Amino acid sequence: MKLHQIRNATLIVTYAGKRFLVDPYLGDKDAYPGFEGTVNSEIRNPRVALSTPMDTILDFDALILTHLHPDHFDEAAIKLLPRDKPVFVQDYSDAELIKALGFTDVRPLGIETTFEGVNLSRARGQHGSEQAYVYAAELLGNVMGVVFRAEGEKTLYLAGDTIWNPMVATNLEMFKPDVIVVAAGDAQVPGLGSIIMGTADVKTVHDASPTAQIVANHMETVNHCVLSRAELQAFAEAKSTTDRLSIPADNEILEF
């Protein structure tokens, strides 16, 4: 298994010989305004340029979109991505939106969806607290994680844009992943709080999965993510969790 950190939540997952492009955010540095109503909204996005060649990014077998927020699937991705590759999405609503953009092979993920020897399972998550959803359910929307399984491979759980909650705890108990990718930039919306994981949630995932390797991404790219790699590293060192936590730089490749 290889995890190639591209930028933000964008990954190339090489698993059982197949390459999956996850949540492509491909715009040039400063191409978009900051997210209105979030912290640091005056900062333009993406905050950093891509450091991976585009031909590497576009060399994939299937596309996975955990949800359709524009920092996971942006205008540049819509323009650049081939229309004939399989696209896995969280539900039929997202599937119809992707089909309307001209993508011809769009597949909602189920409990277990097979793609060329790889079992992909939709895993539930929540893009903020219960209280946040009371006030901003439409803004936060539905999100998913994805579990990868194949014969002879370690189990990978890509948690997606979620905070720690009973859904994540259930996923850990059900799938017992060997490798867990968490969105750890602590994105903040005033009045709603954290809408992805921060330091405490990463520590909780670490403690709940005592043998799993944890990878933190979704950091230092969009205006409302307030937790830096250095800050998470310092926290991990203080809590003695660095042995099982990786915080890859953009364009870094991890192997498991």
Side-chain angles (χ1 to χ4, degrees):
M1 184 199 313
K2 294 182 181 180
L3 303 179
H4 188 169
Q5 172 64 29
I6 305 302
R7 184 179 62 182
N8 201 46
T10 308
L11 286 169
I12 296 172
V13 177
T14 303
Y15 193 87
K18 300 300 174 184
R19 286 169 60 87
F20 298 87
L21 176 62
V22 179
D23 288 350
Y25 186 41
L26 305 182
D28 293 335
K29 182 179 183 296
D30 299 327
Y32 313 117
F35 289 114
E36 185 177 352
T38 68
V39 299
N40 303 320
S41 61
E42 72 281 3
I43 298 175
R44 294 186 67 83
N45 294 321
R47 296 174 62 182
V48 296
L50 284 168
S51 53
T52 306
M54 192 60 69
D55 58 352
T56 298
I57 296 172
L58 297 179
D59 178 18
F60 64 92
D61 298 302
L63 174 65
I64 295 175
L65 302 176
T66 63
H67 63 300
L68 302 185
H69 283 173
D71 58 331
H72 292 252
F73 184 57
D74 66 345
E75 295 173 6
I78 293 170
K79 178 180 178 181
L80 292 167
L81 293 171
R83 294 302 194 261
D84 58 344
K85 296 290 184 71
V87 184
F88 294 98
V89 296
Q90 63 176 326
D91 55 29
Y92 285 96
S93 176
D94 281 9
E96 290 304 311
L97 292 171
I98 298 304
K99 288 178 182 177
L101 295 171
F103 292 86
T104 59
D105 185 359
V106 186
R107 313 179 193 183
L109 275 183
I111 297 174
E112 187 169 301
T113 301
T114 301
F115 174 72
E116 298 188 11
V118 179
N119 292 323
L120 301 171
S121 296
R122 177 183 173 181
R124 296 181 66 199
Q126 187 167 288
H127 206 347
S129 67
E130 292 287 347
Q131 184 178 9
Y133 269 78
V134 170
Y135 296 103
E138 185 174 351
L139 171 68
L140 298 170
N142 295 324
V143 297
M144 72 168 178
V146 182
V147 177
F148 296 70
R149 289 173 292 175
E151 185 175 355
E153 293 281 352
K154 295 178 179 179
T155 297
L156 169 64
Y157 169 36
L158 181 70
D161 274 18
T162 185
I163 61 170
W164 172 265
N165 55 36
M167 299 177 205
V168 176
T170 297
N171 294 334
L172 297 178
E173 176 63 28
M174 180 183 301
F175 295 106
K176 295 178 172 55
D178 303 292
V179 181
I180 304 165
V181 178
V182 293
D186 198 11
Q188 293 280 331
V189 180
L192 302 182
S194 299
I195 60 172
I196 61 176
M197 294 189 189
T199 54
D201 284 357
V202 174
K203 177 67 162 56
T204 303
V205 173
H206 175 278
D207 294 347
S209 302
T211 63
Q213 295 292 319
I214 299 164
V215 177
N217 75 348
H218 204 315
M219 306 182 79
E220 300 181 352
T221 305
V222 288
N223 67 275
H224 58 320
C225 284
V226 300
L227 179 63
S228 71
R229 289 177 169 100
E231 289 167 336
L232 180 56
Q233 180 68 28
F235 176 85
E237 290 172 358
K239 299 297 182 180
S240 300
T241 61
T242 55
D243 60 323
R244 292 194 291 110
L245 175 65
S246 299
I247 311 171
D250 289 349
N251 204 34
E252 184 175 349
I253 300 174
L254 303 177
E255 296 190 29
F256 298 95

